[in-house]
Every structure is written in C-alpha cells, then in structure tokens.
Amino acid sequence: MTEKQDWQHLYMLLKLAETGAYNRTAKISTEYLAKKLGISQQTVSRYLIDLEHKAWIGRIITPDGSLIKIEPLGAGELQKLYSSLKILMEKTYPPSVTLEGTVFTGLGEGAYYISKSDYKKQIVEKLDFEPYPGTLNIKLSSDYDLKTRLDLEAYPAVEITGFQNESRSFGLVKCYPAIIGGKVKGALVVAVRSHYDTSVLEIIAPVCLRKQLDLKDGHKLKVEICTIL
C-alpha cells in the first residue's frame, strides 16, 4: 500500500464522515460518492472494498445503495488526522511527553528489522547510536497514555526512509528520541507497516534494555519522548 493510496482512503473516509456515517449508519450510493469526490463509480467501489478490508468501515449493500458506518479503526484514523491538524495549526505540542506502560514480550520482529543494514545505517546517522538488535515492547493502558501516544502522530519525528531489496519492500519508520526509565537514551520507533496499534510502544536503544534496567514482563516503565528535534 503506497502513501498515496493511504491518503486516498483517508479522504474517502472523511467524505463518508461528512455524509453522516461517523456516528450512525448512513445510506450512500456509489453514484453520489462519485459526484462528491469527482471520480468514477468504479473507483469509489474499489475504495469502499479497500476500506472494508482495512476494517475502517462496515457496509451492507442494498438495491438502493450501501448502508455504511465508520468502524472504530476508521474513527481512530480520523482522530489521528484531527490531532495532527490541531497540533500543526495551534502548535500546542510540548517539548516532551512521558508515557507509562507494561513491559511484554513481542513478536520478535524487532530484531529482524533493526538488523537490516539500510535501517541500521540511517539510525546511526540520524539518532547517533547503533541500535541493539531488538526492541523493547511496552503496552499502554490508561486513557491519558493512549491519547498522548495518538497525539505523537502529529509531532516532529526523525524519518528513517524505506527501501526495496530482491524479495520485498520495507516501509518508512518514524523515530522519536526518548529517555527510557529515566536513565537510557534511545528512541521510540513507529513503523508505517506494523502488527501493533498505537497502544504499543516499540523502543530501541544502544543497549539491551531488559538487562540494563533489569526488566521483566509485567514491569511498569516510563518513557520520556522528546518532541523538539
């Protein structure tokens, strides 16, 4: 999925919200959406199928049009957009935010991605440390931490660009410099393509954080994330 397609899907989601599908089920025809967006009905149908596959909307097709309602995942995408615009327009973000969550064992993908030389080289150049081959995973649970993490989407970030090799492509990664446990400098990494949602923090550092901070699954941990680069 390209960034252009992501924006097209988000724009479609926004237009669905404008028709009333955000808080209730709305009956909407592809013909109406095509006129509203200035695109063909075939393209509208394709986008709606894509949004269903993403679980951003629920849809029931009837002879008179589709019954559409934006699902929680789609509402979350609109909330991200709202937070980004609000922060960018009002410049309300603080110099740092502190999040607290619970350490847990992840899927083991962190080591795989961090070990890729194209990623590692950029991390060294842009964050000024060589990352330990793995990530520390932290699960957020409080409403404050979840909302604050969502707000981060609009904050300035260090971007680690994606790349392509013989077998597959690797996407963009956004990094936020951080201080973990009040002691170790590292970074929060946010992959555009990730199995985790915004309730999970993936942290990298130049050391093994579990050993350095004597951490085990279930331990609470605070991470201060810097928003001024």
Side-chain angles (χ1 to χ4, degrees), residues 156-193:
V158 175
E159 292 193 349
I160 306 299
T161 57
F163 60 94
Q164 177 103 29
N165 63 17
E166 322 75 57
S167 57
R168 56 166 292 185
S169 62
F170 294 82
L172 173 75
V173 177
K174 295 198 296 184
C175 298
Y176 302 85
I179 299 175
I180 303 97
K183 297 178 181 179
V184 182
K185 290 184 178 180
L188 164 67
V189 293
V190 180
V192 171
R193 304 170 188 171

PDB file of all heavy atoms in Angstrom, residues 156-193:
ATOM      1  N   PRO A 156       6.898  16.413  15.394  1.00  0.00           N
ATOM      2  CA  PRO A 156       8.060  16.200  14.527  1.00  0.00           C
ATOM      3  C   PRO A 156       8.743  14.878  14.855  1.00  0.00           C
ATOM      4  O   PRO A 156       8.816  14.478  16.017  1.00  0.00           O
ATOM      5  CB  PRO A 156       8.975  17.386  14.866  1.00  0.00           C
ATOM      6  CG  PRO A 156       8.079  18.413  15.478  1.00  0.00           C
ATOM      7  CD  PRO A 156       7.016  17.649  16.205  1.00  0.00           C
ATOM      8  N   ALA A 157       9.236  14.200  13.839  1.00  0.00           N
ATOM      9  CA  ALA A 157       9.897  12.911  14.034  1.00  0.00           C
ATOM     10  C   ALA A 157      11.109  12.811  13.124  1.00  0.00           C
ATOM     11  O   ALA A 157      11.190  13.481  12.088  1.00  0.00           O
ATOM     12  CB  ALA A 157       8.933  11.767  13.746  1.00  0.00           C
ATOM     13  N   VAL A 158      12.050  11.975  13.521  1.00  0.00           N
ATOM     14  CA  VAL A 158      13.182  11.635  12.661  1.00  0.00           C
ATOM     15  C   VAL A 158      12.714  10.511  11.742  1.00  0.00           C
ATOM     16  O   VAL A 158      12.244   9.477  12.214  1.00  0.00           O
ATOM     17  CB  VAL A 158      14.391  11.164  13.494  1.00  0.00           C
ATOM     18  CG1 VAL A 158      15.521  10.700  12.578  1.00  0.00           C
ATOM     19  CG2 VAL A 158      14.865  12.272  14.419  1.00  0.00           C
ATOM     20  N   GLU A 159      12.820  10.720  10.438  1.00  0.00           N
ATOM     21  CA  GLU A 159      12.306   9.732   9.493  1.00  0.00           C
ATOM     22  C   GLU A 159      13.422   8.838   8.966  1.00  0.00           C
ATOM     23  O   GLU A 159      14.446   9.309   8.464  1.00  0.00           O
ATOM     24  CB  GLU A 159      11.587  10.415   8.330  1.00  0.00           C
ATOM     25  CG  GLU A 159      10.292  11.106   8.749  1.00  0.00           C
ATOM     26  CD  GLU A 159       9.430  11.510   7.568  1.00  0.00           C
ATOM     27  OE1 GLU A 159       9.928  11.448   6.421  1.00  0.00           O
ATOM     28  OE2 GLU A 159       8.263  11.878   7.792  1.00  0.00           O
ATOM     29  N   ILE A 160      13.199   7.530   9.102  1.00  0.00           N
ATOM     30  CA  ILE A 160      14.098   6.527   8.540  1.00  0.00           C
ATOM     31  C   ILE A 160      13.405   6.011   7.280  1.00  0.00           C
ATOM     32  O   ILE A 160      12.345   5.389   7.355  1.00  0.00           O
ATOM     33  CB  ILE A 160      14.329   5.363   9.531  1.00  0.00           C
ATOM     34  CG1 ILE A 160      14.823   5.893  10.886  1.00  0.00           C
ATOM     35  CG2 ILE A 160      15.301   4.352   8.941  1.00  0.00           C
ATOM     36  CD1 ILE A 160      16.138   6.630  10.836  1.00  0.00           C
ATOM     37  N   THR A 161      13.976   6.311   6.130  1.00  0.00           N
ATOM     38  CA  THR A 161      13.291   6.012   4.873  1.00  0.00           C
ATOM     39  C   THR A 161      13.279   4.517   4.575  1.00  0.00           C
ATOM     40  O   THR A 161      14.189   3.774   4.964  1.00  0.00           O
ATOM     41  CB  THR A 161      13.941   6.760   3.701  1.00  0.00           C
ATOM     42  OG1 THR A 161      15.336   6.403   3.638  1.00  0.00           O
ATOM     43  CG2 THR A 161      13.840   8.257   3.897  1.00  0.00           C
ATOM     44  N   GLY A 162      12.228   4.100   3.876  1.00  0.00           N
ATOM     45  CA  GLY A 162      12.115   2.703   3.490  1.00  0.00           C
ATOM     46  C   GLY A 162      13.021   2.368   2.320  1.00  0.00           C
ATOM     47  O   GLY A 162      13.672   3.235   1.743  1.00  0.00           O
ATOM     48  N   PHE A 163      13.041   1.091   1.967  1.00  0.00           N
ATOM     49  CA  PHE A 163      13.908   0.644   0.870  1.00  0.00           C
ATOM     50  C   PHE A 163      13.340  -0.647   0.286  1.00  0.00           C
ATOM     51  O   PHE A 163      12.422  -1.255   0.851  1.00  0.00           O
ATOM     52  CB  PHE A 163      15.344   0.432   1.363  1.00  0.00           C
ATOM     53  CG  PHE A 163      15.459  -0.605   2.463  1.00  0.00           C
ATOM     54  CD1 PHE A 163      15.742  -1.934   2.175  1.00  0.00           C
ATOM     55  CD2 PHE A 163      15.271  -0.243   3.794  1.00  0.00           C
ATOM     56  CE1 PHE A 163      15.826  -2.876   3.183  1.00  0.00           C
ATOM     57  CE2 PHE A 163      15.362  -1.187   4.816  1.00  0.00           C
ATOM     58  CZ  PHE A 163      15.645  -2.506   4.505  1.00  0.00           C
ATOM     59  N   GLN A 164      13.919  -1.073  -0.816  1.00  0.00           N
ATOM     60  CA  GLN A 164      13.478  -2.292  -1.505  1.00  0.00           C
ATOM     61  C   GLN A 164      14.684  -3.189  -1.699  1.00  0.00           C
ATOM     62  O   GLN A 164      15.766  -2.732  -2.071  1.00  0.00           O
ATOM     63  CB  GLN A 164      12.873  -1.920  -2.865  1.00  0.00           C
ATOM     64  CG  GLN A 164      12.453  -3.103  -3.706  1.00  0.00           C
ATOM     65  CD  GLN A 164      10.960  -3.335  -3.704  1.00  0.00           C
ATOM     66  OE1 GLN A 164      10.189  -2.410  -3.555  1.00  0.00           O
ATOM     67  NE2 GLN A 164      10.557  -4.591  -3.845  1.00  0.00           N
ATOM     68  N   ASN A 165      14.517  -4.488  -1.425  1.00  0.00           N
ATOM     69  CA  ASN A 165      15.578  -5.447  -1.762  1.00  0.00           C
ATOM     70  C   ASN A 165      15.033  -6.451  -2.777  1.00  0.00           C
ATOM     71  O   ASN A 165      13.968  -6.248  -3.346  1.00  0.00           O
ATOM     72  CB  ASN A 165      16.142  -6.127  -0.518  1.00  0.00           C
ATOM     73  CG  ASN A 165      15.107  -6.972   0.220  1.00  0.00           C
ATOM     74  OD1 ASN A 165      14.057  -7.317  -0.331  1.00  0.00           O
ATOM     75  ND2 ASN A 165      15.402  -7.312   1.465  1.00  0.00           N
ATOM     76  N   GLU A 166      15.740  -7.576  -2.970  1.00  0.00           N
ATOM     77  CA  GLU A 166      15.345  -8.517  -4.012  1.00  0.00           C
ATOM     78  C   GLU A 166      13.970  -9.129  -3.761  1.00  0.00           C
ATOM     79  O   GLU A 166      13.242  -9.472  -4.699  1.00  0.00           O
ATOM     80  CB  GLU A 166      16.359  -9.671  -4.120  1.00  0.00           C
ATOM     81  CG  GLU A 166      17.829  -9.336  -3.936  1.00  0.00           C
ATOM     82  CD  GLU A 166      18.218  -9.067  -2.487  1.00  0.00           C
ATOM     83  OE1 GLU A 166      18.012  -9.939  -1.620  1.00  0.00           O
ATOM     84  OE2 GLU A 166      18.711  -7.958  -2.251  1.00  0.00           O
ATOM     85  N   SER A 167      13.615  -9.286  -2.504  1.00  0.00           N
ATOM     86  CA  SER A 167      12.408 -10.046  -2.181  1.00  0.00           C
ATOM     87  C   SER A 167      11.200  -9.215  -1.755  1.00  0.00           C
ATOM     88  O   SER A 167      10.057  -9.628  -1.944  1.00  0.00           O
ATOM     89  CB  SER A 167      12.721 -11.057  -1.071  1.00  0.00           C
ATOM     90  OG  SER A 167      13.228 -10.393   0.074  1.00  0.00           O
ATOM     91  N   ARG A 168      11.420  -8.024  -1.187  1.00  0.00           N
ATOM     92  CA  ARG A 168      10.282  -7.260  -0.662  1.00  0.00           C
ATOM     93  C   ARG A 168      10.663  -5.806  -0.425  1.00  0.00           C
ATOM     94  O   ARG A 168      11.825  -5.426  -0.551  1.00  0.00           O
ATOM     95  CB  ARG A 168       9.783  -7.873   0.644  1.00  0.00           C
ATOM     96  CG  ARG A 168      10.851  -7.991   1.721  1.00  0.00           C
ATOM     97  CD  ARG A 168      10.259  -8.280   3.072  1.00  0.00           C
ATOM     98  NE  ARG A 168       9.484  -7.155   3.576  1.00  0.00           N
ATOM     99  CZ  ARG A 168       8.946  -7.122   4.792  1.00  0.00           C
ATOM    100  NH1 ARG A 168       9.100  -8.142   5.608  1.00  0.00           N
ATOM    101  NH2 ARG A 168       8.259  -6.073   5.196  1.00  0.00           N
ATOM    102  N   SER A 169       9.667  -5.017  -0.079  1.00  0.00           N
ATOM    103  CA  SER A 169       9.922  -3.614   0.247  1.00  0.00           C
ATOM    104  C   SER A 169       9.753  -3.401   1.749  1.00  0.00           C
ATOM    105  O   SER A 169       8.979  -4.111   2.406  1.00  0.00           O
ATOM    106  CB  SER A 169       8.954  -2.704  -0.519  1.00  0.00           C
ATOM    107  OG  SER A 169       7.616  -2.974  -0.159  1.00  0.00           O
ATOM    108  N   PHE A 170      10.478  -2.432   2.285  1.00  0.00           N
ATOM    109  CA  PHE A 170      10.428  -2.093   3.705  1.00  0.00           C
ATOM    110  C   PHE A 170      10.002  -0.626   3.811  1.00  0.00           C
ATOM    111  O   PHE A 170      10.532   0.231   3.117  1.00  0.00           O
ATOM    112  CB  PHE A 170      11.794  -2.303   4.355  1.00  0.00           C
ATOM    113  CG  PHE A 170      12.219  -3.751   4.395  1.00  0.00           C
ATOM    114  CD1 PHE A 170      12.791  -4.345   3.276  1.00  0.00           C
ATOM    115  CD2 PHE A 170      12.036  -4.515   5.537  1.00  0.00           C
ATOM    116  CE1 PHE A 170      13.174  -5.679   3.291  1.00  0.00           C
ATOM    117  CE2 PHE A 170      12.413  -5.842   5.565  1.00  0.00           C
ATOM    118  CZ  PHE A 170      12.982  -6.434   4.442  1.00  0.00           C
ATOM    119  N   GLY A 171       9.044  -0.365   4.681  1.00  0.00           N
ATOM    120  CA  GLY A 171       8.428   0.952   4.727  1.00  0.00           C
ATOM    121  C   GLY A 171       9.132   1.974   5.594  1.00  0.00           C
ATOM    122  O   GLY A 171      10.120   1.684   6.286  1.00  0.00           O
ATOM    123  N   LEU A 172       8.591   3.175   5.562  1.00  0.00           N
ATOM    124  CA  LEU A 172       9.080   4.288   6.361  1.00  0.00           C
ATOM    125  C   LEU A 172       8.949   3.994   7.852  1.00  0.00           C
ATOM    126  O   LEU A 172       7.980   3.372   8.293  1.00  0.00           O
ATOM    127  CB  LEU A 172       8.267   5.536   6.011  1.00  0.00           C
ATOM    128  CG  LEU A 172       8.506   6.794   6.850  1.00  0.00           C
ATOM    129  CD1 LEU A 172       9.820   7.438   6.455  1.00  0.00           C
ATOM    130  CD2 LEU A 172       7.350   7.772   6.672  1.00  0.00           C
ATOM    131  N   VAL A 173       9.928   4.443   8.630  1.00  0.00           N
ATOM    132  CA  VAL A 173       9.882   4.332  10.086  1.00  0.00           C
ATOM    133  C   VAL A 173      10.103   5.719  10.680  1.00  0.00           C
ATOM    134  O   VAL A 173      11.064   6.411  10.314  1.00  0.00           O
ATOM    135  CB  VAL A 173      10.962   3.363  10.624  1.00  0.00           C
ATOM    136  CG1 VAL A 173      10.934   3.320  12.154  1.00  0.00           C
ATOM    137  CG2 VAL A 173      10.758   1.967  10.059  1.00  0.00           C
ATOM    138  N   LYS A 174       9.200   6.135  11.566  1.00  0.00           N
ATOM    139  CA  LYS A 174       9.370   7.411  12.265  1.00  0.00           C
ATOM    140  C   LYS A 174       9.973   7.135  13.643  1.00  0.00           C
ATOM    141  O   LYS A 174       9.571   6.201  14.331  1.00  0.00           O
ATOM    142  CB  LYS A 174       8.031   8.128  12.408  1.00  0.00           C
ATOM    143  CG  LYS A 174       7.422   8.538  11.084  1.00  0.00           C
ATOM    144  CD  LYS A 174       6.351   9.607  11.244  1.00  0.00           C
ATOM    145  CE  LYS A 174       5.169   9.111  12.030  1.00  0.00           C
ATOM    146  NZ  LYS A 174       4.089  10.141  12.103  1.00  0.00           N
ATOM    147  N   CYS A 175      10.936   7.974  14.028  1.00  0.00           N
ATOM    148  CA  CYS A 175      11.619   7.799  15.311  1.00  0.00           C
ATOM    149  C   CYS A 175      11.498   9.063  16.160  1.00  0.00           C
ATOM    150  O   CYS A 175      11.612  10.175  15.650  1.00  0.00           O
ATOM    151  CB  CYS A 175      13.101   7.495  15.099  1.00  0.00           C
ATOM    152  SG  CYS A 175      13.417   5.970  14.187  1.00  0.00           S
ATOM    153  N   TYR A 176      11.278   8.852  17.455  1.00  0.00           N
ATOM    154  CA  TYR A 176      11.199   9.954  18.412  1.00  0.00           C
ATOM    155  C   TYR A 176      12.249   9.717  19.490  1.00  0.00           C
ATOM    156  O   TYR A 176      12.173   8.715  20.220  1.00  0.00           O
ATOM    157  CB  TYR A 176       9.811  10.015  19.058  1.00  0.00           C
ATOM    158  CG  TYR A 176       8.673  10.183  18.080  1.00  0.00           C
ATOM    159  CD1 TYR A 176       8.105   9.077  17.450  1.00  0.00           C
ATOM    160  CD2 TYR A 176       8.166  11.443  17.773  1.00  0.00           C
ATOM    161  CE1 TYR A 176       7.055   9.224  16.547  1.00  0.00           C
ATOM    162  CE2 TYR A 176       7.112  11.594  16.876  1.00  0.00           C
ATOM    163  CZ  TYR A 176       6.568  10.483  16.270  1.00  0.00           C
ATOM    164  OH  TYR A 176       5.541  10.624  15.381  1.00  0.00           O
ATOM    165  N   PRO A 177      13.270  10.581  19.599  1.00  0.00           N
ATOM    166  CA  PRO A 177      14.270  10.410  20.654  1.00  0.00           C
ATOM    167  C   PRO A 177      13.591  10.284  22.014  1.00  0.00           C
ATOM    168  O   PRO A 177      12.591  10.945  22.295  1.00  0.00           O
ATOM    169  CB  PRO A 177      15.103  11.691  20.554  1.00  0.00           C
ATOM    170  CG  PRO A 177      14.934  12.128  19.131  1.00  0.00           C
ATOM    171  CD  PRO A 177      13.519  11.768  18.765  1.00  0.00           C
ATOM    172  N   ALA A 178      14.131   9.429  22.864  1.00  0.00           N
ATOM    173  CA  ALA A 178      13.481   9.152  24.146  1.00  0.00           C
ATOM    174  C   ALA A 178      14.500   8.839  25.228  1.00  0.00           C
ATOM    175  O   ALA A 178      15.654   8.490  24.944  1.00  0.00           O
ATOM    176  CB  ALA A 178      12.513   7.973  23.990  1.00  0.00           C
ATOM    177  N   ILE A 179      14.054   8.993  26.470  1.00  0.00           N
ATOM    178  CA  ILE A 179      14.830   8.565  27.627  1.00  0.00           C
ATOM    179  C   ILE A 179      14.003   7.493  28.329  1.00  0.00           C
ATOM    180  O   ILE A 179      12.869   7.742  28.749  1.00  0.00           O
ATOM    181  CB  ILE A 179      15.131   9.733  28.577  1.00  0.00           C
ATOM    182  CG1 ILE A 179      15.944  10.805  27.845  1.00  0.00           C
ATOM    183  CG2 ILE A 179      15.886   9.242  29.819  1.00  0.00           C
ATOM    184  CD1 ILE A 179      16.188  12.061  28.655  1.00  0.00           C
ATOM    185  N   ILE A 180      14.572   6.314  28.435  1.00  0.00           N
ATOM    186  CA  ILE A 180      13.837   5.163  28.947  1.00  0.00           C
ATOM    187  C   ILE A 180      14.195   4.924  30.408  1.00  0.00           C
ATOM    188  O   ILE A 180      15.384   4.854  30.765  1.00  0.00           O
ATOM    189  CB  ILE A 180      14.156   3.897  28.126  1.00  0.00           C
ATOM    190  CG1 ILE A 180      13.838   4.154  26.643  1.00  0.00           C
ATOM    191  CG2 ILE A 180      13.367   2.702  28.636  1.00  0.00           C
ATOM    192  CD1 ILE A 180      15.009   4.546  25.804  1.00  0.00           C
ATOM    193  N   GLY A 181      13.166   4.843  31.240  1.00  0.00           N
ATOM    194  CA  GLY A 181      13.383   4.599  32.657  1.00  0.00           C
ATOM    195  C   GLY A 181      14.188   5.686  33.343  1.00  0.00           C
ATOM    196  O   GLY A 181      14.788   5.450  34.392  1.00  0.00           O
ATOM    197  N   GLY A 182      14.216   6.886  32.753  1.00  0.00           N
ATOM    198  CA  GLY A 182      14.961   7.996  33.336  1.00  0.00           C
ATOM    199  C   GLY A 182      16.463   7.859  33.245  1.00  0.00           C
ATOM    200  O   GLY A 182      17.197   8.674  33.808  1.00  0.00           O
ATOM    201  N   LYS A 183      16.953   6.846  32.516  1.00  0.00           N
ATOM    202  CA  LYS A 183      18.394   6.563  32.525  1.00  0.00           C
ATOM    203  C   LYS A 183      19.016   6.400  31.139  1.00  0.00           C
ATOM    204  O   LYS A 183      20.119   6.903  30.883  1.00  0.00           O
ATOM    205  CB  LYS A 183      18.667   5.282  33.326  1.00  0.00           C
ATOM    206  CG  LYS A 183      18.285   5.354  34.791  1.00  0.00           C
ATOM    207  CD  LYS A 183      18.545   4.024  35.483  1.00  0.00           C
ATOM    208  CE  LYS A 183      18.152   4.074  36.960  1.00  0.00           C
ATOM    209  NZ  LYS A 183      18.380   2.773  37.630  1.00  0.00           N
ATOM    210  N   VAL A 184      18.354   5.683  30.257  1.00  0.00           N
ATOM    211  CA  VAL A 184      18.972   5.274  28.992  1.00  0.00           C
ATOM    212  C   VAL A 184      18.390   6.058  27.823  1.00  0.00           C
ATOM    213  O   VAL A 184      17.169   6.136  27.667  1.00  0.00           O
ATOM    214  CB  VAL A 184      18.766   3.763  28.741  1.00  0.00           C
ATOM    215  CG1 VAL A 184      19.456   3.345  27.445  1.00  0.00           C
ATOM    216  CG2 VAL A 184      19.295   2.952  29.918  1.00  0.00           C
ATOM    217  N   LYS A 185      19.265   6.629  27.004  1.00  0.00           N
ATOM    218  CA  LYS A 185      18.817   7.322  25.805  1.00  0.00           C
ATOM    219  C   LYS A 185      18.563   6.320  24.681  1.00  0.00           C
ATOM    220  O   LYS A 185      19.359   5.414  24.453  1.00  0.00           O
ATOM    221  CB  LYS A 185      19.866   8.350  25.356  1.00  0.00           C
ATOM    222  CG  LYS A 185      19.989   9.541  26.292  1.00  0.00           C
ATOM    223  CD  LYS A 185      20.962  10.564  25.744  1.00  0.00           C
ATOM    224  CE  LYS A 185      21.044  11.786  26.658  1.00  0.00           C
ATOM    225  NZ  LYS A 185      21.992  12.808  26.129  1.00  0.00           N
ATOM    226  N   GLY A 186      17.448   6.492  24.004  1.00  0.00           N
ATOM    227  CA  GLY A 186      17.096   5.615  22.896  1.00  0.00           C
ATOM    228  C   GLY A 186      16.079   6.303  22.020  1.00  0.00           C
ATOM    229  O   GLY A 186      16.150   7.511  21.832  1.00  0.00           O
ATOM    230  N   ALA A 187      15.127   5.549  21.507  1.00  0.00           N
ATOM    231  CA  ALA A 187      14.105   6.148  20.644  1.00  0.00           C
ATOM    232  C   ALA A 187      12.873   5.246  20.565  1.00  0.00           C
ATOM    233  O   ALA A 187      12.973   4.017  20.632  1.00  0.00           O
ATOM    234  CB  ALA A 187      14.656   6.379  19.242  1.00  0.00           C
ATOM    235  N   LEU A 188      11.738   5.905  20.438  1.00  0.00           N
ATOM    236  CA  LEU A 188      10.504   5.211  20.087  1.00  0.00           C
ATOM    237  C   LEU A 188      10.480   5.092  18.574  1.00  0.00           C
ATOM    238  O   LEU A 188      10.704   6.078  17.867  1.00  0.00           O
ATOM    239  CB  LEU A 188       9.290   6.014  20.567  1.00  0.00           C
ATOM    240  CG  LEU A 188       7.923   5.645  19.979  1.00  0.00           C
ATOM    241  CD1 LEU A 188       7.498   4.260  20.425  1.00  0.00           C
ATOM    242  CD2 LEU A 188       6.876   6.681  20.365  1.00  0.00           C
ATOM    243  N   VAL A 189      10.236   3.889  18.065  1.00  0.00           N
ATOM    244  CA  VAL A 189      10.153   3.692  16.620  1.00  0.00           C
ATOM    245  C   VAL A 189       8.707   3.357  16.246  1.00  0.00           C
ATOM    246  O   VAL A 189       8.057   2.550  16.900  1.00  0.00           O
ATOM    247  CB  VAL A 189      11.116   2.590  16.117  1.00  0.00           C
ATOM    248  CG1 VAL A 189      12.558   3.028  16.285  1.00  0.00           C
ATOM    249  CG2 VAL A 189      10.881   1.273  16.830  1.00  0.00           C
ATOM    250  N   VAL A 190       8.225   4.005  15.196  1.00  0.00           N
ATOM    251  CA  VAL A 190       6.850   3.801  14.731  1.00  0.00           C
ATOM    252  C   VAL A 190       6.916   3.440  13.256  1.00  0.00           C
ATOM    253  O   VAL A 190       7.179   4.300  12.408  1.00  0.00           O
ATOM    254  CB  VAL A 190       5.992   5.069  14.935  1.00  0.00           C
ATOM    255  CG1 VAL A 190       4.571   4.817  14.442  1.00  0.00           C
ATOM    256  CG2 VAL A 190       5.993   5.485  16.401  1.00  0.00           C
ATOM    257  N   ALA A 191       6.706   2.177  12.961  1.00  0.00           N
ATOM    258  CA  ALA A 191       6.740   1.714  11.578  1.00  0.00           C
ATOM    259  C   ALA A 191       5.398   1.979  10.911  1.00  0.00           C
ATOM    260  O   ALA A 191       4.342   1.772  11.515  1.00  0.00           O
ATOM    261  CB  ALA A 191       7.065   0.230  11.521  1.00  0.00           C
ATOM    262  N   VAL A 192       5.459   2.455   9.668  1.00  0.00           N
ATOM    263  CA  VAL A 192       4.217   2.667   8.916  1.00  0.00           C
ATOM    264  C   VAL A 192       3.487   1.342   8.755  1.00  0.00           C
ATOM    265  O   VAL A 192       2.263   1.263   8.854  1.00  0.00           O
ATOM    266  CB  VAL A 192       4.526   3.289   7.538  1.00  0.00           C
ATOM    267  CG1 VAL A 192       3.279   3.307   6.667  1.00  0.00           C
ATOM    268  CG2 VAL A 192       5.060   4.695   7.719  1.00  0.00           C
ATOM    269  N   ARG A 193       4.244   0.269   8.546  1.00  0.00           N
ATOM    270  CA  ARG A 193       3.658  -1.074   8.478  1.00  0.00           C
ATOM    271  C   ARG A 193       4.034  -1.799   9.766  1.00  0.00           C
ATOM    272  O   ARG A 193       5.192  -2.099  10.011  1.00  0.00           O
ATOM    273  CB  ARG A 193       4.207  -1.851   7.287  1.00  0.00           C
ATOM    274  CG  ARG A 193       4.006  -1.157   5.952  1.00  0.00           C
ATOM    275  CD  ARG A 193       4.793  -1.864   4.861  1.00  0.00           C
ATOM    276  NE  ARG A 193       4.770  -1.117   3.616  1.00  0.00           N
ATOM    277  CZ  ARG A 193       5.528  -1.423   2.564  1.00  0.00           C
ATOM    278  NH1 ARG A 193       6.349  -2.450   2.613  1.00  0.00           N
ATOM    279  NH2 ARG A 193       5.454  -0.695   1.465  1.00  0.00           N
TER     280      ARG A 193
END
